[in-house]
Amino acid sequence: MIQKKFNEVDRRIFYFPAVRPCETVSPATLLGSLIVLSQNIGNYQSKFFATQRRNSREAIRKIGILLVFFEEIRDRGLILPETAILCFSELHLTFQKIRFLLEDCSREGARLWILMKSEMVVTQFRVLIRTVATAFDILPLNSMDICGEVMELVELVAKQARKARIEIDPNDERAMRRVLSVLDLFEKGIEPEFQVLKWVLDYLEIKTWSDCNKEIKFLEEQWVESEEREVPFLSSLLGFMCYCRVRIFDTVDYQNADQTDVRCNMEVLSCLNPEDFRCPISLELMIDPVTVSTGQTYDRSSIQKWLKAGHKICPKTGEKLTNTELVPNTNLRKLIHQFCADNGVSLAKTVKKTRDIARTILPGSPAAAEAMKFLSRIVARNLVFGTSEQKNKAAYEIRLLAKANIFNRSCLIEAGTIPPLLNLLYSFNKSIQENAIAALLKLSKHANGKKIVVENGGLRSIVAVLKRGISLEAKQTAAATIFYLSSVKGYRRLIGEIDETIPALVDLIKEGTPCGKKNGVVALFGLALYHGNRQRIIDAGTIPLLLHIIASSNKDELIVDSLALLATLAECLDGTLAILQAASFPLITRILQSTTSQAGKEHCVSIFLSCCTNGGDEAVAVLAKDTSVMSSLYSVTTDGTAQASKKARSLIKMLHKFHETSSSGQGCQAFTNEQSVHVW
């Protein structure tokens, strides 16, 4: 049997990876494969076609008749002439394409897209059916020993294929016109009538919230893969379907809803210079960082889009740009590439993701913009005046709409969704609280979102969820939200001054899932960037907890983030004392020697350097006892980043000086600090 191996799920719609049989294929193999292909196409008879019903049915019917012909040849054991083999080879290629086309027309979630591409689909059917007719022009039917009835059927199919009128179904055309009329209304700032929307969804048999959500997810996938010229139309259709999902369906059938963004907030989470690595426009990892005339750094694709839109000011500072020159920030680019390598991030995927998110700074089309504004007002109204179920649905819609879309976030924030979401945090309904805090997490990625959360007293509400949330899920999401809020320098102090914040994060690290522990660690890291919070974090017993994670966890990212926090706390005298009292140098040495993460190595060196600087000769003496440390430090000087290399060289100098002093008979000095500690 002739087959091409590929993943149906990964195949782009309207892409037909058909394979032409090789010239040396045996007639029996070719015929057998044609029979299987025909049977597969026949199986589509039971599939649902929301559009292209007549064209699909006719294609399946014709190939079903030809299946009888192929089986007749096989059963009689006929010897095929050369021209028949050529015909069957062409049919094999064409049948593959027909199968792909039928797969697309019946694809779940693609109903609206197939409808709006009706002309293209009809053209595909027309070309493929005509190709079938052309292939039969070279088939010597009269010289083949098949029964007359089968021969008549084959001749009839060939004749019909040549003369078939393959056109857009009038009902499909009517539905397509209605969608276009709705998009036109959106563009003019007019809300469409409910009944028009309902008619379109009924025609496509989109009957539930989940059905609608599948359409949205499919359109989002197309949008990611699309060329720039297709973005406006895809954005308009996305706006149309999102508006329908919010307005038409009163309930969310959660058992089928996509909950993947809820399970674990791993998107948040790496605390290796998070502010420096994220573009202020897209809030995502920068791939090609460039600096503008004000000295601010942005990802190239994001700032270019900003400038192309006619803006003449710096997005972050508001200062007027003296010129539009973009200077590559090569040092930062190297650090980001190293960060990707250390954390197992695919740079190709990250480039693509960053480009795609950068597209969402501005709406993809006027229709999409107005649709988003309308539905933002709907969900904001439901958050305030709706029933408990409507409020829950509105919160869930926000968390989906705000996910990875900057324009959506801004519309939802402007519609006033944050204050009522903060009120929902005190709900005794588990689902409502989880959806509300998850929605706030998404909105807190936006600069205005952070500001409104704080101005409305949201910090204490979020900390209350972190401390007393109904579910562990809600607590973990609250920690992730605190991480984002702590990216604003002035908010770190405010968050840390709430008595319950740091103890609650420490409790989450103790009790949470690996994801919860990671959220807790990076949230504390964000808070520790403000020096005034460090003592509170140390007093909460964080250092022994971090050392336990480093010693026992099998999650590399969690270990690296724990090392980063530990390195920050080690800069304080009390942090150094706690690390030394825990006799942790052998553990840190083992990680330095075993980890493959450059970031992890740098954090280990930072911990040693801070401890030796704050702890004096007694700490240096402990480190100097392990002769293997020096080789690891030399390795960092050659293979590490510029900053890591600098720290390693400083530590090497300390160790050399200590050895020189010791060999001259002066011995090691005691701590100069008032408190003496046991370090080994």
Side-chain angles (χ1 to χ4, degrees), residues 393-673:
K393 179 179 182 289
Y396 187 65
E397 291 286 3
I398 291 170
R399 69 186 294 183
L400 294 182
L401 292 166
K403 184 180 180 182
N405 192 303
I406 299 166
F407 179 74
N408 287 3
R409 292 172 199 162
S410 64
C411 287
L412 291 161
I413 291 166
E414 288 176 14
T417 58
I418 288 179
L421 282 171
L422 289 171
N423 291 335
L424 292 182
L425 295 183
Y426 294 99
S427 172
F428 293 106
N429 182 299
K430 174 176 174 289
S431 180
I432 290 177
Q433 188 180 76
E434 287 179 353
N435 284 326
I437 189 63
L440 286 165
L441 167 62
K442 301 297 189 293
L443 297 179
S444 69
K445 296 181 181 182
H446 196 285
N448 289 341
K450 296 180 181 72
K451 182 180 178 182
I452 294 172
V453 166
V454 174
E455 289 178 348
N456 283 270
L459 293 180
R460 291 193 177 275
S461 302
I462 293 166
V463 171
V465 175
L466 174 66
K467 179 70 176 178
R468 295 178 291 276
I470 298 172
S471 66
L472 185 58
E473 173 96 27
K475 293 179 180 181
Q476 293 178 168
T477 308
T481 308
I482 288 172
F483 170 81
Y484 274 109
L485 293 172
S486 68
S487 66
V488 179
K489 187 175 181 180
Y491 297 162
R492 295 168 191 157
R493 177 181 61 82
L494 297 176
I495 298 169
E497 287 177 350
I498 300 173
D499 292 339
E500 294 181 318
T501 305
I502 291 170
L505 287 171
V506 172
D507 288 342
L508 181 62
I509 296 172
K510 291 177 182 176
E511 303 167 4
T513 64
C515 174
K517 292 178 188 296
K518 187 171 176 65
N519 285 15
V521 168
V522 299
L524 285 175
F525 178 86
L527 297 178
L529 295 176
Y530 171 63
H531 288 264
N533 286 331
R534 294 182 182 179
Q535 190 62 50
R536 297 187 184 97
I537 295 172
I538 294 167
D539 291 343
T542 306
I543 288 178
L545 195 56
L546 293 174
L547 291 170
H548 175 72
I549 289 173
I550 293 166
S552 61
S553 177
N554 59 358
K555 304 291 183 183
D556 292 339
E557 287 188 9
L558 179 57
I559 291 173
V560 171
D561 288 338
S562 298
L563 287 167
L565 178 54
L566 196 63
T568 303
L569 299 178
E571 295 173 7
C572 300
L573 176 59
D574 283 351
T576 290
L577 295 176
I579 292 169
L580 295 174
Q581 286 173 333
S584 58
F585 273 19
L587 170 63
I588 305 302
T589 301
R590 177 168 61 82
I591 299 298
L592 174 62
Q593 294 170 345
S594 63
T595 184
T596 58
S597 165
Q598 290 294 337
K601 290 180 185 293
E602 180 174 348
H603 297 322
C604 290
V605 173
S606 297
I607 293 166
F608 285 145
L609 184 60
S610 294
C611 287
C612 291
T613 301
N614 294 333
D617 284 351
E618 188 172 341
V620 178
V622 173
L623 189 61
K625 287 180 181 178
D626 190 340
T627 57
S628 67
V629 170
M630 193 66 80
S631 62
S632 298
L633 292 176
Y634 276 117
S635 176
V636 173
T637 63
T638 55
D639 300 332
T641 63
Q643 188 67 21
S645 178
K646 181 179 179 181
K647 293 175 183 178
R649 287 195 300 271
S650 297
L651 195 54
I652 289 169
K653 287 180 182 178
M654 282 188 178
L655 291 171
H656 278 312
K657 184 177 180 181
F658 173 80
H659 283 299
E660 289 170 1
T661 304
S662 299
S663 62
S664 65
Q666 295 181 19
C668 68
Q669 299 175 0
F671 269 110
T672 57
N673 306 308

Side-chain angles (χ1 to χ4, degrees), residues 351-365:
V351 169
K352 183 178 177 182
K353 180 181 177 185
T354 303
R355 181 202 69 192
D356 297 335
I357 292 175
R359 279 182 175 181
T360 72
I361 301 169
L362 300 173
S365 70

